[in-house]
Amino acid sequence: MGSNIEPDRPARRSLRFILLVALANAGGVIGFLPLLTLLLPLKVAEVAGDDRIAVFTATVIAGATAASASNILFGWLSDRSVARGGGRRRWIAIGLAGLAASFAALAAAATPLQIVLAIVLFQTAVNAILAPMFAVMADEVPDAQKGLSGGLIALGAPLASAVAALMLAVGVNGEATRLAFVFAAVLICILPLIVTPARIAPAAIAPEEAPLLGRDLAIAWASRLLVQVAGNALWLYLVYYFASIDPHTPASKSVGPLGQLMTIAYLVSVPVAVLAGRWSDRIGRRKPFLIAFALLAALGLTGLAFARDWNMAASAFTLYALGSAAFLSLHSGFAMQLLPDPDHRGRDLGLINLTNTLPALLGPLLTWALATPHDFRAVMLVLAGLTLLGGLLVPAIRHRR
C-alpha cells in the first residue's frame, strides 16, 4: 500500500468520512470486546475450572503488557511511514492479518499457557490496528470536528455488543466458528477506511503552546487512566460479577443475557455522546461534559456495589455504561487537541493508550485483591472513587476548554 496522502488540506471533513472513522473504530472494538468479556472467560473457565480467576488474571496481565508496548511501537512505526511519504493504513492491514492468526491460535489453545500466548499475540495484533487508526483520526479530522468524531466513538461498544448478541442469537456454535464470525465483522467495519485516501487536516497548535499542552496532556492522561481502571476491571470480570449476584445460574447460561444487557447499555450512550460531542463543538467547551459523565459513571459503580439482584445490577451497569462510554468517547477527541507535536501523533497516542492498557494490569490486581467469587462490593466502591477522582482532575487542564 503506497501513499494516498493528498496535498490539499480541507478545513472540514465530510460526515461520510467521520462516519467511516467511527465505523473503523467500532471494528477495532468488535475485535476485542466480545472476546475479552464473553468468549475468553468461558475458555478460561473450561480449561482452568476453579482456578479461573487466577488464570484469567494472569492472561489479562500478560496481554495488557503486550498491548502497552505494541501500541506505542505501531504508533511510532506509522509516524515513520508518514514522515517517509507513506501512510498509516498499511499498518492497520498488517494488524488485521495478525488478528486472524491470534484467533486461530486461541481456538487451538488447550492449556493455560497456550491461552496466555494466544492472548499476547491477540493484543499485539489489536494494537497494530488501533494505534495507527487513532492517529488517522488525529491527522485527518480537524479540531473543530473532534467533538462529533469523539462522540461517534461511542458507537464501538454497542456495535461490538450487538455483534456478540447476534452471534449468540443466530446460534453460532463452536469456539472457532464464533471467532471467525467476529473476525468477519471486524473486516466489514475496517476495510472501508483502509481504502479511503488520506487527507491531512491542518495543525491547530502554535509552537509556543507545545510545552503547555504537554503538561495538560499529562493531566488528561491521569484522568483517563483513573476512569479506565474501573472500565477495564468491570468489562473483564462482568461474567464473574453477575455470577456473584446470581450464583445459581452457570456462567455459560448468563452469557446471552449479558450480551443483550451490554448492547442495550452501550446503545443508550451513543446518542448522548454524539449530541454532547456536537454541542461541545458548537460552544467550544468539552470539560463540563467530561466532568458530568465521570460523576454519572461513579454513581453507576456505587449502584453495582450495593446491587443484590440481577435487575438492580443491570440498571446500575446501564448507568455506569452511559457515563463511562460518553466520557471516554469525548475524552479521545479532547486528548487529540492536546497533542504537542503533529509529527509524533502515533507515538504520543500510543503513550495515551497506556491509559487503556495499564488499567488491564491495575484493574485485575485490584479485583484479585478485593473481590471474591461471591462478593465484589469492595472493589466496586474503590473503582467508583477512582472514577470520581478522574473526573475531578479535568478542571486542572488549563489550555483547552
Side-chain angles (χ1 to χ4, degrees), residues 103 121 316 353 373:
F103 280 179
L121 176 59
N353 186 67

Side-chain angles (χ1 to χ4, degrees), residues 169-329:
V170 300
V172 178
N173 296 316
E175 184 182 11
T177 306
R178 287 177 172 179
L179 290 171
F181 184 93
V182 170
F183 184 72
V186 172
L187 282 180
I188 290 171
C189 292
I190 292 179
L191 284 179
L193 180 65
I194 291 180
V195 300
T196 300
R199 293 193 299 177
I200 308 301
I205 297 173
E208 62 272 12
E209 272 194 297
L212 302 176
L213 291 180
R215 170 202 170 275
D216 283 349
L217 186 62
I219 297 172
W221 185 94
S223 171
R224 186 182 182 93
L225 176 69
L226 292 168
V227 174
Q228 280 283 64
V229 168
N232 193 277
L234 189 56
W235 292 337
L236 290 173
Y237 292 90
L238 193 62
V239 170
Y240 302 148
Y241 168 79
F242 274 92
S244 74
I245 296 295
D246 185 10
H248 302 295
T249 301
S252 60
K253 297 293 186 182
S254 67
V255 170
L258 278 180
Q260 296 171 5
L261 172 63
M262 292 169 63
T263 301
I264 294 170
Y266 288 112
L267 190 61
V268 168
S269 70
V270 174
V272 175
V274 171
L275 289 173
R278 185 71 186 95
W279 190 5
S280 72
D281 282 339
R282 295 188 66 177
I283 68 175
R285 295 176 61 85
R286 311 207 193 279
K287 290 194 287 186
F289 299 96
L290 291 171
I291 296 167
F293 288 135
L295 294 175
L296 196 63
L299 183 61
L301 287 165
T302 304
L304 286 169
F306 293 100
R308 283 298 171 261
D309 61 57
W310 205 94
N311 289 333
M312 289 178 62
S315 299
F317 175 78
T318 301
L319 186 64
Y320 165 77
L322 170 60
S324 174
F327 176 92
L328 295 173
S329 299

Side-chain angles (χ1 to χ4, degrees), residues 106-192:
L106 183 61
T111 67
L113 178 59
Q114 290 173 349
I115 292 175
V116 170
L117 293 176
I119 292 301
V120 167
L121 176 59
F122 161 76
Q123 288 283 23
T124 301
V126 164
N127 283 277
I129 295 170
L130 294 176
M133 183 187 299
F134 272 90
V136 165
M137 179 179 167
D139 286 344
E140 302 181 31
V141 177
D143 280 359
Q145 293 175 286
K146 281 190 168 74
L148 174 61
S149 184
L152 285 168
I153 288 177
L155 283 168
L159 284 179
S161 300
V163 166
L166 177 63
M167 176 179 66
L168 298 170
V170 300
V172 178
N173 296 316
E175 184 182 11
T177 306
R178 287 177 172 179
L179 290 171
F181 184 93
V182 170
F183 184 72
V186 172
L187 282 180
I188 290 171
C189 292
I190 292 179
L191 284 179

